[in-house]
Amino acid sequence: MRRRRRRGDDAQAVLETALVIPILLFLVCNFIAVMVQVTVQEQLNSATALAAQSRFQAPENAIDPSGTRCCGAPGMSLATAGLPTGCRYAAETFYGTMTTYTGLLHWLRATLCTSGGDSGNAAIPPMQPVAYAGSPSNAEVSCDIGSIKPGGTVIPGYVDRALNPPAGLNVVTCSASASLDFADTPLAWGVFWTPTLHAQAEALPPPFRQ
Amino acid sequence: MGGEFEGVVRPRRMRRSRRGQALVEFAVVLPLFLFCLLGALDAGLWAVQTSAEVSAVEQAAMVASSAGSSPTSETAPDAHAVLTSISGRLRSALFGTTIKSWCTTNASGDCAPDATQRCPTTPAEVQDVDGPRVVVVCVSEADPPACATPPPGQVAPYPPGCEDSPMITVRVVGFVASFVPPGFGPGASGFELPANISATTHTLRFAP
C-alpha cells in the first residue's frame, strides 16, 4: 500500500514537471516573441519615417514629374531601377534601413509602390496606391504624395501645382504593413500567432532643398 | 516485532527520502527558474535598449543627412558630431555600456576625414577593437558613380543614379551590458546583448 503511494507520489511529481516545464517554456517563448514584435515595429516605424522624409532629399525638379507613378513594372527587381528619383530615394531608404532582424525573423519583403501624379491643375482625380506586382499580398509598402489645402486638409494622391506653387508637392505619407513569421526560428515551438505590423509616417518639405 | 520495527523506521526513512526528493526538485527547478527569470528580464531589457537605439539611429540619420542643407554647412557631419546629437538618448537606455564614436581621430580630437573608413558590420568586430560592453556610433557615406557619356541606346544620366546625392548610413553596433553580471556567462561576452542597428538615407544638399 505504502509502496504504491510512494510510486504514486513519484508519478505525480513527474507529471507535475512534465506539465510545468512546457508551460514555462511556452510563456517564455511568447514573451520573447512579443519583445521581438515590439522591436521590429519600432524598426518599421523608423524606416517608414525616413522613407517619407527621403522623398524630399531628391532635387526639387526630380520629384514626381508629370504623370508620376512609382509602382514598378511587373517583374522589376528591388533595385528599383527606372523609378522616378523621389520614389527611388524613398525605396532605397526604406530597404536600406529595414535590414536588421531579417535573419532572425522570416520577414516578408515587399517592394515600394507609390501612386500619385502631377495633376498640374487639380483636374485629374487622385490615384489610389497600387500594389507592386511582385509584392507578397501581406507585405506592402507605399508612399503617397499629396497636397495640403490652406485649411490644413490633406488631399492625398496627387500634386497640385495650382494649390502649392511652384512644386505642388508638400506632403508625403508613407505606410507599410507586413506580417512577421516565426516559423524559421526556435520560437516557433511555442508561438502560434503571426502578428501583422503597420506603420505610417508623414513628412513635410524641409526649409532648404536642392 | 518486524511490524513494530517497520512502523518506527520507515516513516523516518520516508521523511528523509522526501527531504532528499525536495532537495533534488529544488536543485532542478532553481536553475530553470533563474534561467527563465534572467531570460525574461534580458528580453525586456533588449527590447527597451533596441527601441532606444532605433529611435537614436533614426534621429542621427536625419541629422547626418540634412547637415548639408543649412547655409552654414555643406558636408555631412562626422561621427563625433552625430554621437553628440544622440548621446543623451542612448546613455539613458544603455546603462553599463560605453558609447563611443567609430572613427580615426586627428590631432585636435575630431574625426579625421578618411574616405576609406568603413563601419564595423558585426558586434564582434567592435569587441575585438574596443573590448566588451562597448557600443560605437559610425557614420559612412557612399558616393554615387561618376557620370559618363551614355553609350548609344542609353539615356542620360549614365550610369543610372550618377546624379544622386550620396547615401549616408548611421550604424549603432556593439555588445550591450545585460542583467547577467560578467563572469556568469559562458565566456567573456556570454550574456551580453548584441546591438546592430542602422539607418540609411540620401543626403540633402543645400541650394540657395
Side-chain angles (χ1 to χ4, degrees):
Chain A
M1 200 55 181
R2 278 178 186 151
R3 204 175 293 165
R4 235 188 243 165
R5 198 186 303 161
R6 235 182 319 173
R7 236 188 277 158
D9 284 351
D10 289 349
Q12 189 189 339
V14 169
L15 194 68
E16 277 173 7
T17 311
L19 275 177
V20 166
I21 287 178
I23 290 173
L24 204 62
L25 287 176
F26 175 80
L27 291 176
V28 169
C29 276
N30 280 273
F31 182 77
I32 293 172
V34 170
M35 294 294 118
V36 169
Q37 183 184 339
V38 168
T39 304
V40 177
Q41 178 69 59
E42 287 277 344
Q43 185 91 32
L44 193 65
N45 291 345
S46 177
T48 311
L50 282 173
Q53 194 63 49
S54 73
R55 282 202 80 189
F56 290 112
Q57 317 289 56
E60 198 160 1
N61 59 2
I63 292 187
D64 305 306
S66 192
T68 292
R69 202 168 180 91
C70 290
C71 295
M76 197 164 73
S77 75
L78 280 181
T80 64
L83 288 179
T85 310
C87 311
R88 188 161 50 77
Y89 275 24
E92 287 172 353
T93 296
F94 183 84
Y95 293 110
T97 303
M98 203 66 220
T99 52
T100 38
Y101 311 117
T102 49
L104 174 70
L105 304 166
H106 181 56
W107 180 261
L108 300 169
R109 281 170 182 269
T111 192
L112 182 112
C113 169
T114 309
S115 78
D118 183 356
S119 67
N121 56 9
I124 301 172
M127 288 186 266
Q128 292 301 310
V130 180
Y132 175 60
S135 160
S137 59
N138 55 353
E140 291 169 6
V141 184
S142 69
C143 281
D144 207 0
I145 56 177
S147 301
I148 301 180
K149 276 183 176 176
T153 314
V154 176
I155 311 169
Y158 68 106
V159 172
D160 191 338
R161 286 187 200 274
L163 196 61
N164 302 289
L169 175 66
N170 57 8
V171 62
V172 167
T173 307
C174 282
S175 64
S177 10
S179 60
L180 288 182
D181 190 356
F182 295 100
D184 290 345
T185 71
L187 296 178
W189 179 87
V191 179
F192 306 112
W193 39 278
T194 306
T196 301
L197 310 178
H198 184 75
Q200 184 166 315
E202 278 184 9
L204 300 171
F208 299 105
R209 290 183 60 200
Q210 190 179 34
Chain B
M1 189 74 178
E4 265 177 47
F5 183 77
E6 260 186 77
V8 173
V9 173
R10 275 204 179 153
R12 204 177 294 164
R13 246 194 231 160
M14 208 181 294
R15 249 185 314 197
R16 233 188 282 157
S17 90
R18 271 190 193 156
R19 252 185 271 151
Q21 186 189 340
L23 198 68
V24 170
E25 275 179 11
F26 183 70
V28 168
V29 166
L30 184 69
L32 195 69
F33 175 75
L34 284 177
F35 175 78
C36 289
L37 180 72
L38 289 174
L41 283 175
D42 266 358
L45 183 68
W46 173 76
V48 168
Q49 288 176 334
T50 308
S51 170
E53 287 156 12
V54 167
S55 61
V57 159
E58 181 190 339
Q59 189 191 342
M62 287 196 174
V63 167
S65 69
S66 60
S69 68
S70 115
T72 54
S73 63
E74 290 182 350
T75 53
D78 62 27
H80 278 331
V82 170
L83 176 60
T84 306
S85 70
I86 59 167
S87 60
R89 199 177 278 211
L90 278 179
R91 276 182 218 290
S92 58
L94 308 187
F95 49 87
T97 303
T98 309
I99 303 164
K100 298 166 76 174
S101 48
W102 179 275
C103 62
T104 315
T105 49
N106 57 19
S108 56
D110 297 328
C111 283
D114 181 3
T116 59
Q117 204 159 270
R118 53 171 286 278
C119 286
T121 50
T122 61
E125 209 176 317
V126 175
Q127 184 164 278
D128 290 345
V129 176
D130 290 315
R133 290 175 293 287
V134 173
V135 157
V136 297
V137 176
C138 182
V139 180
S140 63
E141 195 170 297
D143 293 323
C147 288
T149 311
Q154 299 281 347
V155 291
Y158 182 84
C162 70
E163 286 181 343
D164 285 0
S165 59
M167 288 203 80
I168 201 153
T169 299
V170 179
R171 185 178 289 272
V172 171
V173 57
F175 278 109
V176 179
S178 78
F179 279 121
V180 182
F184 282 83
S189 63
F191 279 104
E192 287 174 4
L193 304 169
N196 191 358
I197 307 289
S198 68
T200 298
T201 188
H202 282 271
T203 52
L204 182 63
R205 291 290 182 239
F206 169 65

